[in-house]
């Protein structure tokens, strides 16, 4: 896999995670997230990364 393929795969994964997040929230929250994303294109990506970091830290501590 060359670097362009790797970048494409990473972007595709980010879009899938973004869509999953937006599919699992209520309409008001979705509208808020999308409005934040208009001002900051990486807003939802940071939420997902922070969520993943929190879950990873909980697993390390054994707080599942």
């Amino acid at each position: 896999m060359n670097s362009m393929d790797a970048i494409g795969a990473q972007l595709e994964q980010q879009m899938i995670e973004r869509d999953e997040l937006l599919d699992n929230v209520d309409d008001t929250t979705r509208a808020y997230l999308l409005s934040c994303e208009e001002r900051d294109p990486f807003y939802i990506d940071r939420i997902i990364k922070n969520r993943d970091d929190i879950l990873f830290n909980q697993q390390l501590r054994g707080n599942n």
Side-chain angles (χ1 to χ4, degrees), residues 9-47:
Q10 181 180 9
L11 290 173
E12 183 176 357
Q13 182 61 35
Q14 287 175 336
M15 291 302 296
I16 290 169
E17 290 176 351
R18 176 189 175 279
D19 290 344
E20 287 174 352
L21 174 68
L22 293 173
D23 287 344
N24 288 310
V25 295
D26 61 56
D27 291 341
T28 303
T29 303
R30 184 179 308 107
Y32 173 76
L33 291 172
L34 292 172
S35 71
C36 291
E37 189 179 51
E38 286 179 10
R39 291 178 302 230
D40 177 1
F42 300 103
Y43 186 80
I44 294 175
D45 291 335
R46 282 197 306 280
I47 289 173

